[in-house]
Coordinates of all heavy atoms in Angstrom, one line a residue:
S200 N 12.9 -13.4 17.2 CA 12.9 -12.3 18.1 C 13.2 -11.0 17.4 O 12.6 -9.9 17.7 CB 13.9 -12.5 19.3 OG 13.4 -13.6 20.1
D201 N 14.2 -11.0 16.5 CA 14.6 -9.8 15.8 C 13.4 -9.3 14.9 O 13.1 -8.1 14.8 CB 15.9 -10.0 15.0 CG 17.1 -9.8 15.9 OD1 17.0 -9.4 17.0 OD2 18.2 -10.1 15.4
L202 N 12.8 -10.3 14.3 CA 11.7 -10.0 13.3 C 10.6 -9.3 14.1 O 10.1 -8.2 13.7 CB 11.3 -11.2 12.6 CG 10.2 -11.1 11.5 CD1 10.7 -10.1 10.5 CD2 9.9 -12.4 10.9
F203 N 10.1 -9.9 15.2 CA 9.0 -9.3 15.9 C 9.4 -8.0 16.6 O 8.6 -7.1 16.8 CB 8.4 -10.3 16.9 CG 7.4 -11.3 16.2 CD1 7.9 -12.5 15.7 CD2 6.1 -10.9 15.9 CE1 7.0 -13.3 15.0 CE2 5.3 -11.7 15.2 CZ 5.7 -12.9 14.8
Q204 N 10.7 -7.9 17.0 CA 11.2 -6.7 17.6 C 11.1 -5.5 16.6 O 10.6 -4.4 16.9 CB 12.6 -6.8 18.1 CG 13.1 -5.6 18.9 CD 12.4 -5.5 20.3 OE1 12.2 -6.5 21.0 NE2 11.9 -4.3 20.7
A205 N 11.5 -5.9 15.3 CA 11.3 -4.9 14.2 C 9.9 -4.5 14.1 O 9.5 -3.3 13.9 CB 11.9 -5.4 12.9
A206 N 9.0 -5.5 14.0 CA 7.6 -5.2 13.9 C 7.1 -4.3 15.0 O 6.3 -3.3 14.8 CB 6.8 -6.5 13.9
H207 N 7.6 -4.6 16.2 CA 7.2 -3.8 17.4 C 7.6 -2.3 17.2 O 6.9 -1.4 17.5 CB 7.8 -4.4 18.7 CG 7.6 -3.6 19.9 ND1 6.3 -3.4 20.4 CD2 8.4 -2.8 20.6 CE1 6.4 -2.6 21.5 NE2 7.7 -2.2 21.6
H208 N 8.9 -2.2 16.8 CA 9.4 -0.8 16.6 C 8.5 0.0 15.6 O 8.2 1.1 15.8 CB 10.8 -0.8 16.1 CG 11.8 -1.3 17.2 ND1 12.9 -2.0 16.9 CD2 11.7 -1.3 18.5 CE1 13.6 -2.3 18.0 NE2 12.9 -1.9 19.0
E209 N 8.1 -0.7 14.5 CA 7.2 -0.1 13.6 C 5.9 0.3 14.2 O 5.3 1.4 13.9 CB 7.0 -1.0 12.3 CG 8.2 -1.1 11.4 CD 7.9 -1.7 10.1 OE1 7.0 -1.2 9.4 OE2 8.5 -2.7 9.7
L210 N 5.4 -0.6 15.0 CA 4.1 -0.4 15.6 C 4.2 0.8 16.6 O 3.3 1.7 16.6 CB 3.6 -1.6 16.4 CG 3.1 -2.8 15.5 CD1 3.0 -4.0 16.3 CD2 1.7 -2.4 14.9
V211 N 5.3 0.9 17.3 CA 5.4 2.1 18.2 C 5.6 3.4 17.4 O 5.0 4.4 17.7 CB 6.7 1.9 19.1 CG1 7.0 3.1 19.9 CG2 6.4 0.7 20.1
A212 N 6.4 3.3 16.3 CA 6.6 4.5 15.5 C 5.3 4.9 14.9 O 5.0 6.1 14.8 CB 7.6 4.1 14.4
S213 N 4.5 4.0 14.5 CA 3.2 4.3 13.8 C 2.3 5.0 14.8 O 1.7 6.0 14.5 CB 2.5 3.0 13.3 OG 1.3 3.3 12.8
A214 N 2.2 4.5 16.1 CA 1.4 5.1 17.1 C 1.9 6.4 17.5 O 1.1 7.4 17.7 CB 1.3 4.2 18.3
S215 N 3.2 6.6 17.5 CA 3.8 7.9 17.8 C 3.5 8.9 16.8 O 3.2 10.0 17.1 CB 5.3 7.7 18.0 OG 5.9 8.8 18.4
A216 N 3.6 8.5 15.5 CA 3.2 9.4 14.4 C 1.8 9.8 14.5 O 1.4 11.0 14.2 CB 3.5 8.7 13.0
T217 N 0.9 8.9 14.9 CA -0.5 9.2 15.1 C -0.7 10.3 16.1 O -1.4 11.2 15.9 CB -1.3 7.9 15.4 OG1 -1.1 6.9 14.4 CG2 -2.8 8.2 15.5
R218 N 0.1 10.1 17.2 CA 0.0 11.1 18.3 C 0.5 12.5 17.8 O -0.2 13.5 18.0 CB 0.8 10.6 19.5 CG 0.9 11.7 20.6 CD 1.4 11.2 21.9 NE 2.8 10.9 21.9 CZ 3.5 10.4 22.9 NH1 2.8 10.1 24.0 NH2 4.8 10.2 22.8
I219 N 1.6 12.5 17.1 CA 2.1 13.7 16.6 C 1.2 14.4 15.6 O 0.9 15.6 15.7 CB 3.5 13.5 16.0 CG1 4.5 13.0 17.0 CG2 4.1 14.8 15.4 CD1 5.8 12.4 16.3
A220 N 0.6 13.6 14.7 CA -0.3 14.2 13.8 C -1.5 14.8 14.5 O -1.9 15.9 14.1 CB -0.9 13.1 12.8
H221 N -2.0 14.2 15.5 CA -3.2 14.7 16.2 C -2.8 16.0 17.0 O -3.6 16.9 17.1 CB -3.8 13.7 17.1 CG -4.5 12.6 16.4 ND1 -4.7 11.3 16.9 CD2 -5.1 12.6 15.2 CE1 -5.3 10.6 16.0 NE2 -5.6 11.3 15.0
E222 N -1.5 16.1 17.4 CA -1.1 17.3 18.1 C -0.9 18.5 17.1 O -1.3 19.6 17.3 CB 0.3 17.1 18.7 CG 0.3 16.5 20.1 CD 1.7 16.0 20.5 OE1 2.7 16.5 19.9 OE2 1.7 15.1 21.3
V223 N -0.2 18.1 15.9 CA 0.2 19.2 15.0 C -0.9 19.6 14.0 O -0.9 20.7 13.5 CB 1.4 18.6 14.2 CG1 1.9 19.5 13.1 CG2 2.6 18.3 15.2
L224 N -1.7 18.6 13.7 CA -2.7 18.9 12.6 C -4.1 18.6 13.1 O -4.6 17.5 13.0 CB -2.5 17.9 11.5 CG -1.1 17.8 10.8 CD1 -1.0 16.6 9.9 CD2 -1.0 19.1 9.9
P225 N -4.8 19.6 13.6 CA -6.2 19.4 14.1 C -7.0 18.9 12.9 O -6.9 19.4 11.8 CB -6.6 20.8 14.5 CG -5.4 21.7 14.4 CD -4.4 21.0 13.7
G226 N -7.8 17.9 13.1 CA -8.6 17.3 12.0 C -7.9 16.3 11.2 O -8.5 15.7 10.3
A227 N -6.6 16.0 11.5 CA -5.9 14.9 10.7 C -6.6 13.6 10.9 O -7.1 13.3 12.0 CB -4.5 14.8 11.2
Q228 N -6.6 12.8 9.9 CA -7.2 11.5 9.9 C -6.0 10.5 9.6 O -5.4 10.5 8.5 CB -8.2 11.3 8.8 CG -9.5 12.1 9.1 CD -10.3 11.5 10.3 OE1 -10.6 10.4 10.3 NE2 -10.5 12.4 11.3
V229 N -5.6 9.7 10.6 CA -4.5 8.8 10.4 C -5.0 7.4 10.4 O -5.7 7.0 11.3 CB -3.4 9.0 11.6 CG1 -2.2 8.2 11.3 CG2 -3.1 10.5 11.7
G230 N -4.5 6.6 9.4 CA -4.9 5.2 9.3 C -3.7 4.3 9.3 O -2.6 4.7 8.9
C231 N -3.9 3.1 9.8 CA -2.9 2.0 9.5 C -3.2 1.4 8.2 O -4.3 1.7 7.6 CB -2.9 1.0 10.6 SG -4.5 0.2 10.8
M232 N -2.3 0.7 7.6 CA -2.5 0.1 6.3 C -2.0 -1.4 6.3 O -0.8 -1.6 6.7 CB -1.8 0.9 5.3 CG -2.2 0.7 3.8 SD -2.0 -0.9 3.2 CE -2.0 -0.7 1.4
V233 N -2.8 -2.3 6.0 CA -2.5 -3.7 6.1 C -2.8 -4.5 4.8 O -3.7 -4.0 4.0 CB -3.1 -4.4 7.2 CG1 -2.6 -3.9 8.6 CG2 -4.7 -4.3 7.2
I234 N -2.2 -5.6 4.5 CA -2.7 -6.5 3.5 C -3.9 -7.2 4.0 O -3.8 -7.8 5.1 CB -1.6 -7.6 3.1 CG1 -0.3 -6.9 2.6 CG2 -2.2 -8.6 2.2 CD1 0.8 -8.0 2.2
A235 N -5.0 -7.1 3.3 CA -6.2 -7.8 3.7 C -6.3 -9.0 2.8 O -6.3 -8.9 1.5 CB -7.4 -7.0 3.6
M236 N -6.3 -10.2 3.3 CA -6.4 -11.4 2.5 C -7.2 -12.4 3.2 O -6.7 -13.1 4.1 CB -4.9 -11.9 2.3 CG -4.8 -12.7 1.0 SD -3.1 -13.3 0.8 CE -2.3 -12.0 -0.1
P237 N -8.5 -12.5 2.9 CA -9.3 -13.5 3.6 C -8.8 -14.9 3.5 O -8.3 -15.2 2.4 CB -10.7 -13.4 3.0 CG -10.6 -12.3 2.0 CD -9.2 -11.8 1.9
I238 N -8.8 -15.6 4.5 CA -8.2 -17.0 4.5 C -9.4 -18.0 4.7 O -10.1 -17.9 5.7 CB -7.1 -17.2 5.5 CG1 -6.1 -16.1 5.4 CG2 -6.5 -18.6 5.4 CD1 -5.0 -16.1 6.5
Y239 N -9.6 -18.9 3.7 CA -10.7 -19.8 3.9 C -10.1 -21.2 4.2 O -9.0 -21.5 3.7 CB -11.4 -20.0 2.5 CG -12.0 -18.7 1.9 CD1 -11.9 -18.5 0.5 CD2 -12.5 -17.7 2.7 CE1 -12.4 -17.4 -0.1 CE2 -13.0 -16.5 2.1 CZ -12.9 -16.4 0.7 OH -13.4 -15.2 0.1
P240 N -10.8 -22.0 5.0 CA -10.4 -23.4 5.3 C -10.4 -24.2 4.0 O -11.4 -24.1 3.2 CB -11.3 -23.9 6.3 CG -12.4 -23.0 6.4 CD -12.1 -21.7 5.7
L241 N -9.4 -24.9 3.7 CA -9.3 -25.7 2.4 C -10.4 -26.8 2.5 O -11.0 -27.2 1.4 CB -7.9 -26.3 2.2 CG -7.7 -27.0 0.9 CD1 -7.8 -26.0 -0.3 CD2 -6.3 -27.6 0.9
T242 N -10.7 -27.3 3.7 CA -11.8 -28.4 3.8 C -12.6 -27.9 5.0 O -12.2 -27.1 5.8 CB -11.2 -29.7 4.1 OG1 -10.7 -29.7 5.5 CG2 -10.0 -30.1 3.1
P243 N -13.8 -28.6 5.2 CA -14.6 -28.3 6.4 C -14.0 -28.8 7.7 O -14.6 -28.6 8.8 CB -15.9 -28.9 6.1 CG -15.8 -29.8 4.9 CD -14.4 -29.6 4.3
S244 N -12.8 -29.4 7.7 CA -12.4 -30.0 9.0 C -12.0 -28.9 10.0 O -11.4 -27.9 9.6 CB -11.1 -30.9 8.7 OG -10.0 -30.3 9.2
P245 N -12.4 -29.2 11.3 CA -12.0 -28.2 12.3 C -10.6 -27.9 12.4 O -10.1 -26.8 12.7 CB -12.5 -28.9 13.6 CG -13.6 -29.8 13.1 CD -13.2 -30.3 11.8
D246 N -9.7 -28.9 12.0 CA -8.3 -28.6 12.0 C -7.9 -27.5 11.0 O -7.0 -26.7 11.3 CB -7.5 -29.9 11.7 CG -7.5 -30.9 12.8 OD1 -7.9 -30.5 14.0 OD2 -7.2 -32.1 12.6
D247 N -8.6 -27.6 9.9 CA -8.3 -26.5 8.9 C -8.8 -25.2 9.4 O -8.2 -24.1 9.2 CB -8.9 -26.9 7.5 CG -8.0 -27.9 6.8 OD1 -7.0 -28.3 7.3 OD2 -8.4 -28.2 5.6
A248 N -10.0 -25.2 10.0 CA -10.5 -24.0 10.6 C -9.6 -23.4 11.6 O -9.4 -22.1 11.7 CB -11.9 -24.2 11.2
L249 N -9.0 -24.2 12.4 CA -8.0 -23.7 13.4 C -6.8 -23.2 12.8 O -6.2 -22.2 13.2 CB -7.6 -24.9 14.4 CG -8.6 -25.0 15.6 CD1 -8.1 -26.2 16.4 CD2 -8.5 -23.8 16.5
A250 N -6.4 -23.8 11.7 CA -5.2 -23.3 11.0 C -5.5 -22.0 10.4 O -4.6 -21.1 10.4 CB -4.8 -24.3 9.9
V251 N -6.7 -21.8 10.0 CA -7.1 -20.4 9.5 C -7.1 -19.4 10.6 O -6.6 -18.3 10.4 CB -8.6 -20.5 8.9 CG1 -9.1 -19.1 8.6 CG2 -8.6 -21.3 7.6
L252 N -7.6 -19.8 11.8 CA -7.6 -18.9 12.9 C -6.1 -18.4 13.2 O -5.9 -17.2 13.4 CB -8.1 -19.6 14.2 CG -8.3 -18.7 15.4 CD1 -9.4 -17.7 15.3 CD2 -8.5 -19.5 16.7
E253 N -5.2 -19.3 13.2 CA -3.8 -19.0 13.5 C -3.2 -18.1 12.4 O -2.5 -17.1 12.7 CB -3.0 -20.2 13.7 CG -3.3 -20.9 15.1 CD -2.4 -22.0 15.5 OE1 -1.5 -22.3 14.8 OE2 -2.7 -22.6 16.6

Side-chain angles (χ1 to χ4, degrees):
S200 292
D201 277 353
L202 184 56
F203 279 97
Q204 189 68 46
H207 174 68
H208 293 150
E209 288 194 54
L210 287 165
V211 172
S213 178
S215 184
T217 304
R218 174 165 73 182
I219 298 168
H221 288 152
E222 273 166 27
V223 172
L224 303 167
Q228 292 290 304
V229 185
C231 58
M232 196 302 198
V233 293
I234 297 180
M236 207 179 272
I238 308 175
Y239 307 141
L241 188 62
T242 73
S244 110
D246 286 345
D247 281 3
L249 273 174
V251 169
L252 184 75
E253 288 189 0

